[in-house]
Amino acid sequence: MKPSENKKLYWRKNLQYLGILLGIWFVTSFLCSIVFVEQLDKIRFGGFRLGFYFAQQASIWIFVVLIFVYAWLMNRLDKKYQTDEENAEDSE
């Protein structure tokens, strides 16, 4: 495979990961915290209304988890397309 094709596939997959993870973050931080808060407030979680919990803590925790998931996915992607830093140093 040509290096330019390899880079295109790499970035396409990277954008796919970003789209999915940002979609999850949008749903949890915006929709669950603002749009569907009244419906979620009917459910209790740890003594708090679920809509309140999403707005105050859950969306932040989910964002932090998504950062780690993105790092893990990108490490796998780097190894698959051999773009990780160790291979880049070896090729120089």
Side-chain angles (χ1 to χ4, degrees):
M1 190 178 300
K2 294 180 183 178
S4 62
E5 291 177 27
N6 208 18
K7 288 180 183 179
K8 287 181 183 178
L9 291 173
Y10 173 85
W11 280 107
R12 184 176 299 138
K13 195 67 172 175
N14 181 18
L15 292 175
Q16 182 182 16
Y17 288 155
L18 280 172
I20 292 168
L21 294 174
L22 287 174
I24 292 169
W25 186 47
F26 173 77
V27 167
T28 59
S29 66
F30 183 73
L31 294 181
C32 290
S33 299
I34 298 171
V35 177
F36 300 125
V37 72
E38 291 179 17
Q39 291 85 355
L40 291 173
D41 276 346
K42 295 175 185 173
I43 302 169
R44 294 267 179 191
F45 180 77
F48 298 100
R49 297 178 314 241
L50 190 58
F52 174 79
Y53 180 75
F54 265 104
Q56 297 301 315
Q57 289 191 356
S59 60
I60 297 167
W61 283 110
I62 291 169
F63 181 70
V64 171
V65 168
L66 290 177
I67 291 171
F68 286 105
V69 168
Y70 179 71
W72 178 74
L73 288 171
M74 289 309 297
N75 283 334
R76 282 186 39 205
L77 192 64
D78 288 345
K79 288 177 184 172
K80 180 179 178 182
Y81 288 98
Q82 298 175 347
T83 59
D84 55 341
E85 294 173 5
E86 295 163 358
N87 287 338
E89 291 173 1
D90 293 341
S91 64
E92 291 177 358

Coordinates of all heavy atoms in Angstrom, one line a residue:
M1 N 0.8 -1.2 0.0 CA 0.0 0.0 0.0 C 0.9 1.2 0.0 O 1.9 1.3 0.7 CB -0.9 0.0 1.2 CG -2.0 1.0 1.2 SD -3.1 1.0 2.7 CE -3.8 -0.7 2.5
K2 N 0.5 2.2 -0.8 CA 1.3 3.5 -0.9 C 1.2 4.2 0.4 O 0.2 4.2 1.1 CB 0.8 4.4 -2.0 CG 0.9 3.8 -3.4 CD 0.4 4.7 -4.4 CE 0.5 4.1 -5.8 NZ -0.1 5.0 -6.8
P3 N 2.3 5.0 0.8 CA 2.2 5.8 2.0 C 1.1 6.8 2.0 O 0.5 7.0 3.1 CB 3.6 6.5 2.0 CG 4.5 5.6 1.2 CD 3.6 5.0 0.2
S4 N 0.8 7.4 0.9 CA -0.3 8.4 0.9 C -1.7 7.7 1.1 O -2.5 8.3 1.8 CB -0.3 9.1 -0.5 OG -0.6 8.3 -1.5
E5 N -1.9 6.5 0.6 CA -3.1 5.8 0.8 C -3.2 5.4 2.3 O -4.3 5.4 2.9 CB -3.2 4.5 -0.1 CG -3.4 4.8 -1.5 CD -3.4 3.5 -2.3 OE1 -3.7 2.5 -1.8 OE2 -3.0 3.6 -3.5
N6 N -2.0 5.0 2.8 CA -2.0 4.6 4.2 C -2.4 5.7 5.1 O -3.1 5.6 6.1 CB -0.5 4.1 4.5 CG -0.5 3.1 5.7 OD1 -1.5 2.5 6.0 ND2 0.7 2.9 6.2
K7 N -1.9 6.9 4.8 CA -2.2 8.1 5.6 C -3.7 8.5 5.5 O -4.3 8.8 6.5 CB -1.4 9.3 5.2 CG 0.1 9.2 5.6 CD 0.8 10.4 5.1 CE 2.3 10.3 5.4 NZ 3.1 11.4 5.0
K8 N -4.3 8.3 4.3 CA -5.7 8.6 4.1 C -6.6 7.6 5.0 O -7.5 8.1 5.6 CB -6.1 8.5 2.7 CG -5.6 9.7 1.8 CD -6.0 9.6 0.4 CE -5.5 10.7 -0.4 NZ -5.8 10.6 -1.8
L9 N -6.2 6.4 4.9 CA -7.0 5.4 5.7 C -6.8 5.6 7.2 O -7.8 5.5 7.9 CB -6.5 4.0 5.4 CG -6.8 3.5 4.0 CD1 -6.2 2.1 3.7 CD2 -8.3 3.3 3.8
Y10 N -5.6 6.0 7.6 CA -5.4 6.3 9.0 C -6.2 7.5 9.5 O -6.9 7.4 10.5 CB -3.9 6.6 9.2 CG -3.5 7.1 10.5 CD1 -3.2 6.3 11.6 CD2 -3.4 8.5 10.8 CE1 -2.9 6.7 12.8 CE2 -3.0 9.0 12.1 CZ -2.8 8.1 13.1 OH -2.4 8.5 14.3
W11 N -6.2 8.6 8.7 CA -7.0 9.7 9.1 C -8.5 9.5 9.0 O -9.3 10.0 9.8 CB -6.6 11.0 8.3 CG -5.4 11.5 8.8 CD1 -4.1 11.5 8.3 CD2 -5.2 12.2 10.1 NE1 -3.2 12.1 9.2 CE2 -3.9 12.5 10.3 CE3 -6.1 12.5 11.1 CZ2 -3.4 13.2 11.4 CZ3 -5.6 13.2 12.3 CH2 -4.3 13.5 12.4
R12 N -8.9 8.7 8.0 CA -10.4 8.4 7.9 C -10.8 7.6 9.2 O -11.9 7.9 9.7 CB -10.6 7.5 6.7 CG -12.1 7.2 6.5 CD -12.4 6.5 5.2 NE -12.0 7.3 4.0 CZ -11.3 6.8 3.0 NH1 -11.1 5.5 2.9 NH2 -11.0 7.6 2.0
K13 N -10.0 6.7 9.6 CA -10.3 5.9 10.8 C -10.3 6.8 12.1 O -11.1 6.7 12.9 CB -9.4 4.7 11.0 CG -9.9 3.7 11.9 CD -11.1 3.0 11.4 CE -11.5 1.9 12.3 NZ -12.7 1.2 11.9
N14 N -9.3 7.7 12.1 CA -9.2 8.7 13.2 C -10.5 9.5 13.3 O -11.0 9.7 14.4 CB -8.0 9.5 13.0 CG -7.8 10.5 14.1 OD1 -8.3 10.4 15.2 ND2 -6.9 11.5 13.9
L15 N -10.9 10.1 12.2 CA -12.1 10.9 12.1 C -13.4 10.1 12.5 O -14.3 10.6 13.1 CB -12.3 11.6 10.8 CG -11.2 12.6 10.4 CD1 -11.4 13.1 9.0 CD2 -11.3 13.7 11.4
Q16 N -13.4 8.8 12.1 CA -14.5 7.9 12.5 C -14.5 7.8 14.0 O -15.6 7.9 14.7 CB -14.3 6.6 11.8 CG -15.5 5.6 12.1 CD -15.2 4.3 11.5 OE1 -14.1 4.0 11.1 NE2 -16.3 3.5 11.4
Y17 N -13.4 7.5 14.6 CA -13.3 7.4 16.1 C -13.7 8.7 16.8 O -14.5 8.7 17.7 CB -11.9 7.1 16.6 CG -11.4 5.7 16.3 CD1 -10.0 5.4 16.2 CD2 -12.3 4.6 16.2 CE1 -9.6 4.1 15.9 CE2 -11.8 3.4 15.9 CZ -10.5 3.1 15.8 OH -10.0 1.9 15.6
L18 N -13.3 9.8 16.3 CA -13.6 11.1 16.8 C -15.1 11.4 16.7 O -15.7 11.9 17.7 CB -12.9 12.3 16.1 CG -11.4 12.5 16.5 CD1 -10.8 13.5 15.6 CD2 -11.4 13.0 18.0
G19 N -15.7 11.1 15.6 CA -17.1 11.3 15.4 C -18.0 10.5 16.4 O -18.9 11.0 17.0
I20 N -17.6 9.2 16.6 CA -18.3 8.3 17.5 C -18.2 8.8 18.9 O -19.2 8.9 19.7 CB -17.8 6.9 17.3 CG1 -18.3 6.3 16.0 CG2 -18.4 6.0 18.5 CD1 -17.6 5.0 15.6
L21 N -16.9 9.1 19.3 CA -16.7 9.5 20.7 C -17.3 10.9 21.0 O -17.9 11.1 22.1 CB -15.2 9.5 21.0 CG -14.5 8.2 21.0 CD1 -13.0 8.3 21.1 CD2 -15.1 7.2 22.0
L22 N -17.2 11.8 20.1 CA -17.9 13.1 20.3 C -19.4 13.0 20.3 O -20.1 13.7 21.0 CB -17.4 14.1 19.2 CG -16.0 14.6 19.4 CD1 -15.6 15.5 18.2 CD2 -15.9 15.4 20.7
G23 N -19.9 12.0 19.5 CA -21.4 11.8 19.5 C -21.8 11.3 20.9 O -22.8 11.7 21.4
I24 N -21.0 10.4 21.5 CA -21.3 9.9 22.8 C -21.3 11.0 23.8 O -22.2 11.1 24.7 CB -20.4 8.7 23.2 CG1 -20.6 7.5 22.4 CG2 -20.5 8.4 24.7 CD1 -19.5 6.4 22.5
W25 N -20.3 11.8 23.7 CA -20.1 13.0 24.6 C -21.3 14.0 24.5 O -21.8 14.5 25.5 CB -18.8 13.7 24.4 CG -18.5 14.7 25.4 CD1 -18.6 14.7 26.8 CD2 -18.0 16.1 25.1 NE1 -18.3 15.9 27.4 CE2 -17.9 16.7 26.4 CE3 -17.7 16.7 24.0 CZ2 -17.5 18.0 26.4 CZ3 -17.3 18.0 24.1 CH2 -17.2 18.7 25.3
F26 N -21.7 14.2 23.2 CA -22.8 15.1 23.0 C -24.1 14.6 23.6 O -24.8 15.3 24.3 CB -23.0 15.3 21.5 CG -24.3 16.1 21.1 CD1 -24.3 17.4 21.3 CD2 -25.4 15.4 20.7 CE1 -25.4 18.2 21.0 CE2 -26.6 16.1 20.4 CZ -26.6 17.5 20.5
V27 N -24.4 13.3 23.5 CA -25.6 12.7 24.0 C -25.6 12.8 25.5 O -26.6 13.2 26.1 CB -25.7 11.2 23.6 CG1 -26.8 10.5 24.4 CG2 -26.0 11.1 22.1
T28 N -24.4 12.5 26.2 CA -24.4 12.5 27.6 C -24.3 13.9 28.2 O -24.9 14.1 29.2 CB -23.2 11.7 28.1 OG1 -22.0 12.2 27.6 CG2 -23.4 10.2 27.8
S29 N -23.6 14.8 27.6 CA -23.4 16.1 28.2 C -24.6 17.1 27.8 O -25.0 17.9 28.6 CB -22.1 16.7 27.8 OG -22.0 17.0 26.4
F30 N -25.0 17.0 26.6 CA -26.1 18.0 26.1 C -27.5 17.4 26.3 O -28.3 18.0 26.9 CB -25.8 18.4 24.7 CG -26.8 19.5 24.2 CD1 -26.7 20.8 24.7 CD2 -27.8 19.2 23.3 CE1 -27.6 21.8 24.3 CE2 -28.7 20.1 22.9 CZ -28.6 21.4 23.4
L31 N -27.7 16.3 25.6 CA -29.0 15.7 25.6 C -29.5 15.3 27.0 O -30.6 15.6 27.5 CB -29.1 14.6 24.6 CG -29.0 15.0 23.1 CD1 -29.1 13.7 22.3 CD2 -29.9 16.0 22.7
C32 N -28.7 14.5 27.7 CA -29.1 14.0 29.0 C -29.0 15.1 30.1 O -29.8 15.0 31.0 CB -28.1 12.8 29.4 SG -28.4 11.3 28.5
S33 N -28.2 16.1 29.9 CA -28.1 17.1 30.9 C -29.0 18.3 30.7 O -29.3 19.0 31.7 CB -26.6 17.6 31.0 OG -25.7 16.6 31.3
I34 N -29.5 18.5 29.5 CA -30.3 19.7 29.2 C -31.6 19.3 28.6 O -32.7 19.7 29.1 CB -29.5 20.6 28.3 CG1 -28.2 21.1 29.0 CG2 -30.4 21.8 27.9 CD1 -27.3 21.9 28.1
V35 N -31.6 18.6 27.5 CA -32.8 18.3 26.8 C -33.8 17.3 27.5 O -34.9 17.6 27.6 CB -32.5 17.8 25.3 CG1 -33.7 17.5 24.6 CG2 -31.6 18.9 24.6
F36 N -33.2 16.2 27.9 CA -34.0 15.2 28.5 C -34.0 15.2 30.1 O -34.3 14.2 30.7 CB -33.6 13.8 28.0 CG -33.7 13.6 26.5 CD1 -32.6 13.3 25.8 CD2 -34.9 13.9 25.9 CE1 -32.7 13.1 24.4 CE2 -35.0 13.7 24.5 CZ -33.9 13.4 23.8
V37 N -33.6 16.3 30.6 CA -33.5 16.4 32.1 C -34.8 16.1 32.8 O -34.8 15.5 33.9 CB -32.8 17.7 32.5 CG1 -33.8 18.9 32.3 CG2 -32.3 17.7 33.9
E38 N -35.9 16.6 32.3 CA -37.1 16.4 33.0 C -37.5 14.9 33.1 O -38.0 14.4 34.1 CB -38.2 17.2 32.4 CG -38.1 18.7 32.6 CD -39.1 19.5 31.9 OE1 -40.2 19.0 31.6 OE2 -38.9 20.8 31.8
Q39 N -37.3 14.2 32.0 CA -37.6 12.8 32.0 C -36.7 12.0 32.9 O -37.1 11.1 33.5 CB -37.6 12.2 30.5 CG -38.7 12.7 29.6 CD -38.3 14.1 29.0 OE1 -37.3 14.7 29.3 NE2 -39.2 14.5 28.1
L40 N -35.4 12.4 32.8 CA -34.4 11.7 33.6 C -34.5 12.0 35.1 O -34.1 11.2 36.0 CB -33.0 12.0 33.2 CG -32.6 11.5 31.8 CD1 -31.3 12.0 31.4 CD2 -32.6 10.0 31.8
D41 N -35.1 13.2 35.5 CA -35.2 13.5 36.9 C -36.3 12.6 37.6 O -36.3 12.6 38.8 CB -35.7 15.0 37.0 CG -34.5 15.9 37.0 OD1 -33.3 15.4 37.1 OD2 -34.7 17.1 36.8
K42 N -37.1 11.9 36.8 CA -38.0 11.0 37.4 C -37.3 9.7 38.0 O -37.9 9.0 38.8 CB -39.1 10.6 36.4 CG -39.9 11.7 36.0 CD -40.9 11.3 34.9 CE -41.6 12.5 34.4 NZ -42.4 12.2 33.2
I43 N -36.1 9.5 37.6 CA -35.3 8.4 38.0 C -34.3 8.8 39.1 O -33.6 9.9 38.9 CB -34.5 7.7 36.8 CG1 -35.5 7.3 35.8 CG2 -33.7 6.6 37.3 CD1 -34.9 6.9 34.4
R44 N -34.1 8.1 40.1 CA -33.1 8.5 41.2 C -31.9 7.6 41.1 O -32.0 6.4 40.7 CB -33.7 8.2 42.6 CG -34.9 9.1 42.9 CD -34.4 10.3 43.6 NE -35.5 11.2 43.9 CZ -35.3 12.4 44.3 NH1 -34.1 12.8 44.5 NH2 -36.3 13.2 44.6
F45 N -30.7 8.2 41.3 CA -29.4 7.5 41.2 C -28.6 8.0 42.4 O -28.2 9.2 42.4 CB -28.7 7.8 39.9 CG -27.4 7.1 39.7 CD1 -27.3 5.8 39.4 CD2 -26.2 7.9 39.9 CE1 -26.1 5.2 39.3 CE2 -25.0 7.2 39.8 CZ -24.9 5.9 39.5
G46 N -28.3 7.2 43.3 CA -27.5 7.6 44.5 C -28.2 8.7 45.3 O -27.5 9.5 45.9
G47 N -29.5 8.7 45.3 CA -30.2 9.7 46.1 C -30.4 11.0 45.3 O -31.1 11.9 45.8
F48 N -29.9 11.1 44.1 CA -30.1 12.3 43.3 C -30.9 12.0 42.1 O -31.0 10.9 41.6 CB -28.7 12.9 42.9 CG -27.8 13.3 44.0 CD1 -26.8 12.5 44.4 CD2 -28.0 14.5 44.6 CE1 -26.0 12.8 45.4 CE2 -27.2 14.9 45.7 CZ -26.1 14.0 46.1
R49 N -31.5 13.0 41.6 CA -32.3 12.9 40.3 C -31.2 12.6 39.2 O -30.2 13.2 39.2 CB -33.1 14.1 40.0 CG -34.2 14.4 41.1 CD -34.9 15.6 40.7 NE -34.0 16.7 40.4 CZ -33.9 17.9 41.1 NH1 -34.6 18.1 42.1 NH2 -33.0 18.8 40.7
L50 N -31.6 11.7 38.3 CA -30.6 11.3 37.3 C -30.2 12.5 36.3 O -29.1 12.6 35.9 CB -31.2 10.1 36.5 CG -30.2 9.5 35.5 CD1 -29.0 8.9 36.2 CD2 -30.9 8.3 34.8
G51 N -31.2 13.3 36.0 CA -30.9 14.5 35.2 C -29.9 15.4 35.8 O -28.9 15.9 35.2
F52 N -30.1 15.6 37.1 CA -29.1 16.5 37.9 C -27.7 15.8 38.0 O -26.7 16.4 37.8 CB -29.7 16.7 39.3 CG -28.7 17.4 40.2 CD1 -28.6 18.7 40.2 CD2 -28.0 16.6 41.1 CE1 -27.7 19.4 41.0 CE2 -27.1 17.3 42.0 CZ -26.9 18.6 41.9
Y53 N -27.7 14.5 38.2 CA -26.5 13.7 38.2 C -25.7 13.9 36.9 O -24.5 14.1 36.9 CB -26.7 12.3 38.6 CG -25.5 11.5 38.7 CD1 -24.6 11.6 39.8 CD2 -25.1 10.6 37.6 CE1 -23.5 10.8 39.8 CE2 -23.9 9.9 37.7 CZ -23.1 10.0 38.8 OH -22.0 9.3 38.9
F54 N -26.4 13.7 35.8 CA -25.7 13.8 34.5 C -25.2 15.2 34.3 O -24.0 15.4 33.8 CB -26.7 13.5 33.3 CG -26.6 12.1 32.8 CD1 -27.6 11.2 33.2 CD2 -25.6 11.7 32.1 CE1 -27.5 9.9 32.8 CE2 -25.5 10.4 31.6 CZ -26.5 9.5 32.0
A55 N -25.9 16.2 34.7 CA -25.5 17.6 34.5 C -24.3 17.9 35.4 O -23.4 18.7 35.0 CB -26.6 18.6 34.8
Q56 N -24.2 17.4 36.6 CA -23.2 17.8 37.6 C -22.0 16.9 37.5 O -20.8 17.4 37.7 CB -23.8 17.8 39.0 CG -24.8 18.8 39.2 CD -24.4 20.2 38.9 OE1 -23.3 20.6 39.3 NE2 -25.1 20.9 38.1
Q57 N -22.1 15.6 37.3 CA -21.0 14.7 37.4 C -20.8 13.7 36.3 O -19.7 13.5 35.8 CB -21.1 13.9 38.7 CG -20.8 14.8 39.9 CD -20.6 13.9 41.2 OE1 -20.7 12.7 41.2 NE2 -20.3 14.6 42.3
A58 N -21.9 13.1 35.9 CA -21.8 12.0 34.9 C -21.2 12.4 33.6 O -20.3 11.7 33.1 CB -23.1 11.3 34.7
S59 N -21.6 13.6 33.1 CA -21.0 14.0 31.8 C -19.5 14.3 31.9 O -18.8 14.0 30.9 CB -21.8 15.2 31.3 OG -21.7 16.3 32.2
I60 N -19.1 14.7 33.1 CA -17.6 15.0 33.2 C -16.9 13.7 33.3 O -15.8 13.5 32.7 CB -17.4 15.8 34.5 CG1 -18.0 17.2 34.3 CG2 -15.9 16.0 34.8 CD1 -18.1 18.0 35.6
W61 N -17.4 12.7 34.1 CA -16.8 11.4 34.2 C -16.7 10.7 32.8 O -15.7 10.1 32.5 CB -17.5 10.5 35.2 CG -17.1 10.9 36.6 CD1 -18.0 11.5 37.5 CD2 -15.9 10.7 37.3 NE1 -17.3 11.7 38.7 CE2 -16.0 11.2 38.6 CE3 -14.6 10.2 36.9 CZ2 -14.9 11.2 39.5 CZ3 -13.6 10.2 37.8 CH2 -13.8 10.7 39.1
I62 N -17.8 10.8 32.1 CA -17.9 10.2 30.8 C -16.8 10.8 29.8 O -16.2 10.1 29.1 CB -19.3 10.2 30.2 CG1 -20.2 9.3 31.0 CG2 -19.3 9.9 28.7 CD1 -21.7 9.5 30.7
F63 N -16.7 12.1 29.9 CA -15.7 12.8 29.1 C -14.3 12.3 29.4 O -13.5 12.0 28.5 CB -15.8 14.3 29.3 CG -14.8 15.1 28.5 CD1 -14.9 15.2 27.1 CD2 -13.7 15.7 29.1 CE1 -14.0 15.9 26.4 CE2 -12.8 16.4 28.4 CZ -12.9 16.5 27.0
V64 N -14.0 12.2 30.7 CA -12.6 11.7 31.1 C -12.4 10.2 30.6 O -11.3 9.9 30.1 CB -12.5 11.7 32.6 CG1 -11.2 11.0 33.1 CG2 -12.4 13.2 33.1
V65 N -13.4 9.4 30.7 CA -13.3 8.0 30.2 C -13.1 8.0 28.7 O -12.3 7.3 28.2 CB -14.6 7.2 30.6 CG1 -14.6 5.9 29.8 CG2 -14.6 7.0 32.1
L66 N -13.8 8.9 28.0 CA -13.7 9.0 26.5 C -12.3 9.4 26.1 O -11.8 9.0 25.1 CB -14.7 10.0 25.9 CG -16.1 9.5 26.0 CD1 -17.1 10.5 25.4 CD2 -16.3 8.2 25.2
I67 N -11.6 10.2 26.9 CA -10.2 10.6 26.7 C -9.3 9.4 26.7 O -8.5 9.2 25.8 CB -9.7 11.7 27.7 CG1 -10.4 13.0 27.4 CG2 -8.2 11.9 27.6 CD1 -10.2 14.0 28.5
F68 N -9.5 8.5 27.7 CA -8.7 7.3 27.8 C -9.0 6.3 26.7 O -8.1 5.7 26.2 CB -8.9 6.7 29.2 CG -8.1 7.4 30.3 CD1 -8.8 8.2 31.2 CD2 -6.8 7.4 30.4 CE1 -8.2 8.9 32.2 CE2 -6.1 8.0 31.4 CZ -6.8 8.8 32.3
V69 N -10.3 6.2 26.4 CA -10.7 5.4 25.3 C -10.1 5.8 23.9 O -9.5 5.0 23.2 CB -12.2 5.3 25.1 CG1 -12.7 4.6 23.8 CG2 -12.8 4.6 26.3
Y70 N -10.1 7.1 23.7 CA -9.5 7.7 22.5 C -8.0 7.4 22.5 O -7.4 7.0 21.4 CB -9.7 9.2 22.4 CG -9.1 9.8 21.2 CD1 -9.6 9.6 19.9 CD2 -8.0 10.7 21.3 CE1 -9.1 10.2 18.8 CE2 -7.4 11.2 20.2 CZ -8.0 11.0 18.9 OH -7.4 11.6 17.8
A71 N -7.3 7.6 23.6 CA -5.8 7.3 23.6 C -5.6 5.8 23.3 O -4.7 5.5 22.6 CB -5.3 7.7 25.0
W72 N -6.4 5.0 23.9 CA -6.2 3.5 23.6 C -6.5 3.2 22.2 O -5.7 2.4 21.6 CB -7.2 2.8 24.6 CG -7.1 1.3 24.4 CD1 -6.1 0.4 24.8 CD2 -8.1 0.5 23.8 NE1 -6.4 -0.9 24.4 CE2 -7.7 -0.9 23.8 CE3 -9.3 0.8 23.2 CZ2 -8.4 -1.9 23.3 CZ3 -10.0 -0.3 22.6 CH2 -9.6 -1.6 22.7
L73 N -7.6 3.7 21.6 CA -7.9 3.5 20.2 C -6.8 4.0 19.3 O -6.4 3.4 18.3 CB -9.2 4.1 19.8 CG -10.5 3.4 20.4 CD1 -11.7 4.3 20.1 CD2 -10.6 2.1 19.8
M74 N -6.3 5.2 19.6 CA -5.2 5.8 18.7 C -3.9 5.0 18.8 O -3.2 4.9 17.8 CB -5.0 7.3 19.1 CG -6.2 8.1 18.6 SD -6.7 7.9 16.9 CE -5.2 8.4 16.1
N75 N -3.6 4.5 20.0 CA -2.4 3.6 20.1 C -2.5 2.4 19.3 O -1.6 2.0 18.6 CB -2.1 3.2 21.6 CG -1.5 4.4 22.4 OD1 -0.9 5.3 21.8 ND2 -1.8 4.3 23.7
R76 N -3.7 1.8 19.3 CA -3.9 0.6 18.4 C -3.9 1.0 16.9 O -3.3 0.3 16.1 CB -5.3 0.0 18.7 CG -5.4 -0.8 19.9 CD -6.7 -1.5 20.1 NE -7.3 -2.0 18.9 CZ -8.6 -2.2 18.7 NH1 -9.4 -2.0 19.7 NH2 -9.0 -2.7 17.6
L77 N -4.4 2.2 16.6 CA -4.4 2.6 15.2 C -3.0 2.9 14.8 O -2.6 2.6 13.6 CB -5.3 3.8 15.1 CG -5.7 4.3 13.6 CD1 -6.5 3.2 12.9 CD2 -6.4 5.6 13.7
D78 N -2.2 3.6 15.6 CA -0.8 3.9 15.3 C 0.0 2.6 15.0 O 0.8 2.5 14.1 CB -0.2 4.6 16.4 CG -0.6 6.1 16.6 OD1 -1.3 6.5 15.6 OD2 -0.4 6.7 17.6
K79 N -0.3 1.6 15.8 CA 0.5 0.3 15.6 C 0.0 -0.4 14.3 O 0.8 -0.9 13.6 CB 0.3 -0.6 16.8 CG 1.0 -0.1 18.0 CD 0.8 -1.0 19.2 CE 1.5 -0.4 20.4 NZ 1.1 -1.1 21.7
K80 N -1.3 -0.3 14.0 CA -1.8 -0.9 12.8 C -1.2 -0.3 11.6 O -0.9 -1.0 10.6 CB -3.4 -0.8 12.8 CG -4.0 -1.4 11.6 CD -5.5 -1.3 11.6 CE -6.1 -1.9 10.4 NZ -7.6 -1.8 10.4
Y81 N -1.2 1.0 11.6 CA -0.6 1.7 10.4 C 0.8 2.1 10.5 O 1.4 2.8 9.7 CB -1.5 3.0 10.1 CG -2.8 2.6 9.6 CD1 -4.0 2.6 10.4 CD2 -3.0 2.3 8.2 CE1 -5.2 2.2 9.9 CE2 -4.2 2.0 7.7 CZ -5.3 1.9 8.5 OH -6.6 1.6 8.0
Q82 N 1.5 1.6 11.6 CA 2.9 1.8 11.8 C 3.3 3.3 11.8 O 4.2 3.7 11.2 CB 3.7 1.0 10.8 CG 3.5 -0.5 10.9 CD 4.2 -1.2 9.8 OE1 4.7 -0.7 8.9 NE2 4.3 -2.5 10.0
T83 N 2.5 4.1 12.5 CA 2.8 5.5 12.6 C 3.2 5.9 14.0 O 3.3 7.0 14.3 CB 1.6 6.3 12.2 OG1 0.5 6.0 13.0 CG2 1.2 6.1 10.7
D84 N 3.3 4.9 14.9 CA 3.7 5.2 16.3 C 5.1 5.7 16.3 O 5.9 5.6 15.4 CB 3.5 4.0 17.2 CG 4.3 2.8 16.8 OD1 4.6 2.7 15.6 OD2 4.5 1.9 17.6
E85 N 5.5 6.4 17.4 CA 6.7 7.2 17.5 C 7.9 6.2 17.4 O 9.0 6.6 16.8 CB 6.8 7.9 18.8 CG 5.8 9.0 18.8 CD 5.7 9.7 20.2 OE1 6.5 9.4 21.1 OE2 4.8 10.6 20.4
E86 N 7.8 5.0 18.0 CA 9.0 4.1 17.9 C 9.3 3.7 16.5 O 10.5 3.6 16.2 CB 8.6 2.9 18.8 CG 8.5 3.2 20.3 CD 7.8 2.1 21.0 OE1 7.3 1.1 20.4 OE2 7.6 2.3 22.2
N87 N 8.3 3.4 15.7 CA 8.6 3.0 14.3 C 9.1 4.2 13.5 O 9.8 4.1 12.6 CB 7.3 2.5 13.7 CG 7.0 1.1 14.2 OD1 7.9 0.4 14.7 ND2 5.7 0.7 14.1
A88 N 8.6 5.4 13.8 CA 9.0 6.6 13.1 C 10.5 6.9 13.4 O 11.3 7.2 12.5 CB 8.2 7.8 13.5
E89 N 11.0 6.6 14.6 CA 12.4 6.8 14.9 C 13.2 5.8 14.2 O 14.4 6.0 13.8 CB 12.6 6.8 16.4 CG 12.0 7.9 17.2 CD 12.0 7.8 18.7 OE1 12.6 6.8 19.2 OE2 11.6 8.7 19.4
D90 N 12.7 4.5 14.1 CA 13.5 3.5 13.5 C 13.7 3.7 12.0 O 14.7 3.3 11.4 CB 12.8 2.1 13.7 CG 12.8 1.7 15.1 OD1 13.7 2.2 15.9 OD2 12.0 0.8 15.5
S91 N 12.7 4.4 11.4 CA 12.8 4.6 9.9 C 13.7 5.7 9.5 O 14.1 5.9 8.4 CB 11.4 4.8 9.4 OG 10.9 6.0 9.9
E92 N 14.1 6.6 10.5 CA 15.0 7.7 10.2 C 16.4 7.3 10.1 O 17.0 6.4 10.5 CB 14.8 8.8 11.3 CG 13.5 9.4 11.2 CD 13.3 10.5 12.3 OE1 14.2 10.7 13.2 OE2 12.2 11.1 12.3

